[in-house]
Amino acid sequence: HDEYINNSRSILKAVGEYVYENLKSNKININKPQGGFYLMPEFLIEKFSTAEEMCSNILKETGVALLSGSDFGFSKERMITRLSFTDFNGDEFMQNVKKTKKVDMNSISKFAPKIIEGTKKLKDWVESN
């Protein structure tokens, strides 16, 4: 169990840090992940009246699904969202980590391509708004 847990932590840490590094900007307040499998970015965009409205727009324009922070107790007027970074084949990723003993950008690109694509789409959306 220890190897599985440690490898899971390594994968989620690397993927979370990838998302964090690629989204942090002057238009997104985001804390570096401390564990888990999601981030709570706050978008500094004033064109929407609620986070739910913004999340709907992001989904429509990019295909990236976020949950409104109001679902987690935040004010609906704050553009806080919950972003999960688990859309990848965990078994394949885990098998690779067991073999190579590392998680790097190459393995993230290979085993979590939807994370790469979704992060890019979200970053492009933010920069265009």
Side-chain angles (χ1 to χ4, degrees):
H1 283 93
D2 287 345
E3 179 186 25
Y4 176 83
I5 289 169
N6 289 333
N7 288 344
S8 293
R9 285 181 182 149
S10 295
I11 290 168
L12 291 173
K13 181 176 191 248
V15 172
E17 287 180 2
Y18 169 83
V19 175
Y20 164 77
E21 289 295 334
N22 283 278
L23 290 184
K24 68 179 181 175
S25 71
N26 62 348
K27 290 188 174 186
I28 301 178
N29 278 339
I30 190 169
N31 292 320
K32 190 170 184 170
Q34 299 295 311
F37 56 89
Y38 62 87
L39 296 166
M40 300 291 289
E42 180 175 14
F43 294 80
L44 306 175
I45 296 172
E46 297 180 7
K47 106 183 213 185
F48 301 99
S49 57
T50 67
E52 190 174 295
E53 177 189 357
M54 182 187 68
C55 289
S56 291
N57 182 269
I58 291 170
L59 179 60
K60 185 177 108 187
E61 291 191 13
T62 69
V64 175
L66 302 170
L67 292 173
S68 170
S70 62
D71 293 336
F72 302 94
F74 294 97
S75 167
K76 66 182 180 178
E77 290 82 22
R78 290 186 68 191
M79 300 301 127
I80 296 176
T81 64
R82 181 174 171 179
L83 169 64
S84 172
F85 48 85
T86 57
D87 191 4
F88 55 85
N89 185 319
D91 187 50
E92 287 180 1
F93 213 149
M94 183 69 74
Q95 295 307 317
N96 182 68
V97 172
K98 286 169 87 173
K99 273 194 280 186
T100 65
K101 305 293 184 207
K102 66 180 179 179
V103 182
D104 58 15
M105 192 56 218
N106 287 335
S107 59
I108 293 171
S109 294
K110 182 173 182 179
F111 298 104
K114 290 180 182 179
I115 300 296
I116 304 286
E117 179 185 2
T119 301
K120 181 181 180 340
K121 286 181 177 182
L122 193 53
K123 184 176 181 178
D124 290 347
W125 180 89
V126 168
E127 290 174 359
S128 71
N129 280 283

